[in-house]
Amino acid sequence: EAGVTQSPTHLIKTIGQQATLRCSPISGHTSVYWYQQALGLGLQFLLWYDEGEERNRGNFPPRFSGRQFPNYSSELNVNALELEDSALYLCASSPRMEGQGPQFFGPGTRLTVL
Amino acid sequence: AQTVTQSQPEMSVQEAETVTLSCTYDTSESDYYLFWYKQPPSRQMILVIRQEAYKQQNATENRFSVNFQKAAKSFSLKISDSQLGDAAMYFCAYRGGATNKLIFGTGTLLAVQP
């Protein structure tokens, strides 16, 4: 069974640009989660999508947005990039209505803002 | 709000020995899950073990086991017969309530000495 995949592996942008990160969940999983792992800030929840809808959002500004497609894959968009956005962005998936079971993670996208 | 605390930033263990990583959490919820994830240098977050709060029996997965003390809100991970491949950052995580997000501790970096 294929795991969660993310692309690209690395992304280098400059201040003010937009970044788009992509995630494909495990087959059969309908929920996709995004987390930011920034140096010194730990792992922080960004967004949760399920069945194409945004279900929950972490404490991040509106320039962090995303969407989920009919095939359950997801995109994270970060507009007006700032230096502090440099981080590892992890995507995770889980089956819908699994209660409080685990989330399974992808390998991450390393975003560097120069 | 729920919080997860890992008080050991770094730990070291000799190969084949046993090591215990500590985790405490704070919550007012009665139904929740706890997890240990491992993040090796490759960055892929890997699920190590899970514990449902309503289960009194401690979870075990091969060489990995937990000591779940619900009243004390403690959830430690024991690694037996440590192997070089166990070297990684270990994160304790909580998932509960309707938000569906994982709340992570700050991690413990485990080194395994040959």
Side-chain angles (χ1 to χ4, degrees), chain B residues 4-48:
Chain B
V4 177
T5 302
Q6 292 179 251
S7 58
Q8 305 155 316
E10 297 182 18
M11 292 281 285
S12 182
V13 63
Q14 292 292 127
E15 201 174 0
E17 296 296 307
T18 295
V19 65
T20 298
L21 308 183
S22 301
C23 173
T24 58
Y25 60 95
D26 190 25
T27 184
S28 58
E29 296 170 330
S30 57
D31 183 23
Y32 53 88
Y33 274 52
L34 295 164
F35 307 93
W36 279 97
Y37 283 89
K38 165 186 175 182
Q39 189 178 37
S42 66
R43 307 176 319 193
Q44 178 94 44
M45 193 77 76
I46 300 164
L47 177 67
V48 174

Side-chain angles (χ1 to χ4, degrees), chain B residues 58-104:
Chain B
N58 289 325
T60 299
E61 288 285 343
N62 300 314
R63 299 182 295 106
F64 299 88
S65 62
V66 299
N67 183 5
F68 174 49
Q69 302 289 328
K70 191 171 183 179
K73 294 180 182 173
S74 170
F75 182 61
S76 60
L77 174 69
K78 186 171 83 170
I79 306 174
S80 303
D81 185 26
S82 296
Q83 300 175 359
L84 294 177
D86 295 333
M89 182 72 87
Y90 285 80
F91 291 96
C92 179
Y94 169 101
R95 185 179 179 185
T99 63
N100 233 7
K101 64 183 180 183
L102 286 169
I103 299 170
F104 288 90

Side-chain angles (χ1 to χ4, degrees), chain A residues 4 35 90-93 103-107, chain B residues 37 44-45 102 104:
Chain A
V4 177
Y35 293 86
L90 293 168
C91 173
S93 74
Q103 298 172 9
F104 298 91
F105 285 81
Chain B
Y37 283 89
Q44 178 94 44
M45 193 77 76
L102 286 169
F104 288 90

